[in-house]
């Protein structure tokens, strides 16, 4: 398996620059995730592997959250280049995939996967690798859309067929719990964190246009469905849309 490859839903080589801005979170929303992970992280100053780190949004956040060390693992060179340009010097960047992590056994206390698990080609291999590199007593944090728990505002404005296809791309929390349990992890926390609050219909429509081929959920839409979603959002004008709630699942590595 080569280190650089195209993800199954988005060509991140082409979308890297727009991803860096389109996925950016303001400080108050990052702080919400910081509080959520602090509650579920057993080590005060963990060694963190940001798996599928993309442009480094959460690699930088983990430095601010007090990580002792952060290694950003990302298969796509264009995404790594965007991250290196933005990340502090104490984030180490390496090429690699979730299925073949370039890390030593038991070398991290936290593996962080943000909107990554649905891209993984061989989930069983990736979970086995996470079990190998996370030290006993450590945790895996999964941030993302879980259809049986999360709520994503964009889907409420999308044509039903588009929303159904998009949701089908993401594993449920129940599926992930079963798969991680089979590999020797135990459930160690589950919570939802609000995002996308304070966003107007006009702003949301502009985001959909900017990210239409740089977001794995929108990638399930046809061009006509993207346009329909934009129109439905824009019709809300300056009204703030309901917030999204993404899910944080935590799985503990037995000591």
């Amino acid at each position: 398996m080569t280190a650089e490859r195209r993800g199954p839903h988005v060509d991140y080589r082409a979308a890297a620059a727009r991803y860096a801005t389109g996925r950016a979170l303001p400080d108050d929303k990052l702080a919400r995730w910081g509080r959520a992970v602090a509650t579920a992280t057993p080590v005060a100053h963990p060694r963190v592997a940001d798996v599928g780190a993309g442009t480094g949004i959460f690699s930088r956040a983990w430095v601010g959250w007090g990580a002792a060390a952060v290694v950003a693992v990302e298969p796509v060179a264009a995404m790594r280049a965007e991250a290196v340009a933005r990340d502090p010097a104490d984030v180490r960047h390496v090429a690699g995939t979730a299925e073949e992590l370039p890390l030593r056994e038991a070398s991290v206390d936290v593996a962080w996967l943000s909107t990554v698990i649905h891209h993984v080609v061989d989930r069983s291999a990736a979970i086995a690798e996470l079990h190998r590199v996370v030290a006993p007593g450590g945790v895996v944090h999964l941030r993302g859309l879980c259809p049986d728990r999360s709520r994503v505002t964009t889907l409420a404005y999308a044509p039903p067929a588009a929303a159904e296809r998009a949701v089908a791309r993401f594993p449920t929390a129940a599926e992930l719990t079963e798969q991680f349990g089979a590999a020797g992890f135990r459930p160690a926390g589950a919570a939802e964190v609000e995002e996308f609050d304070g966003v107007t219909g006009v702003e949301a429509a502009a985001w959909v246009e900017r990210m239409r081929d740089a977001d794995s959920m929108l990638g399930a839409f046809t061009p006509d469905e993207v346009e329909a979603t934009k129109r439905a959002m824009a019709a809300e004008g300056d009204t703030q849309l309901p917030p999204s709630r993404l899910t944080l699942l935590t799985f503990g590595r037995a000591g």
Side-chain angles (χ1 to χ4, degrees):
M1 182 180 297
T2 58
E4 181 171 350
R5 60 177 182 164
R6 180 177 299 187
H9 301 311
V10 174
D11 183 354
Y12 287 114
R13 293 171 294 185
R18 276 176 297 120
Y19 191 91
T21 55
R23 285 292 191 183
L25 292 174
D27 289 345
D28 62 325
K29 307 229 175 9
L30 282 174
R32 294 175 189 175
W33 286 103
R35 291 190 291 271
V37 299
T39 300
T41 300
V43 179
H45 299 288
R47 300 164 297 167
V48 177
D50 185 358
V51 180
T55 57
I57 295 165
F58 280 99
S59 299
R60 294 186 289 278
W62 273 101
V63 171
W65 296 341
V70 178
V71 57
V73 181
E74 168 57 42
V76 181
M79 299 285 270
R80 292 196 305 274
E82 290 286 339
V84 168
R86 292 171 168 80
D87 285 356
D90 47 359
V91 175
R92 181 166 65 94
H93 296 269
V94 297
T97 66
E99 296 96 330
E100 296 183 16
L101 293 170
L103 304 173
R104 298 188 310 277
E105 182 176 348
S107 60
V108 299
D109 305 300
V110 169
W112 168 261
L113 289 80
S114 173
T115 60
V116 166
I117 198 67
H118 64 289
H119 286 299
V120 172
V121 175
D122 187 341
R123 198 179 301 155
S124 295
I127 294 171
E129 275 289 84
L130 292 169
H131 194 272
R132 181 182 66 81
V133 303
V134 173
V139 296
V140 176
H141 290 309
L142 304 180
R143 169 187 177 266
L145 167 59
C146 293
D148 52 344
R149 293 187 61 106
S150 310
R151 183 182 73 189
V152 177
T153 302
T154 303
L155 296 177
Y157 289 86
E164 183 176 351
R165 287 197 309 277
V167 166
R169 292 184 165 190
F170 297 85
T172 66
E175 290 168 340
L176 291 169
T177 299
E178 180 178 357
Q179 291 173 330
F180 273 83
F185 288 95
R186 58 175 179 78
E192 275 64 59
V193 177
E194 283 197 350
E195 291 187 3
F196 207 69
D197 51 332
V199 177
T200 68
V202 171
E203 292 168 337
W207 182 89
V208 169
E209 173 59 29
R210 186 167 67 251
M211 297 294 287
R212 62 190 301 159
D213 59 354
D215 179 85
S216 55
M217 181 182 67
L218 294 174
F221 294 16
T222 67
D224 286 346
E225 289 167 343
V226 171
E227 294 302 320
T229 303
K230 287 167 50 184
R231 287 195 300 271
M233 288 177 152
E236 300 283 2
D238 293 331
T239 300
Q240 292 185 2
L241 303 188
S244 292
R245 293 194 180 105
L246 293 186
T247 298
L248 177 68
L249 297 179
T250 302
F251 299 100
R253 167 80 154 79

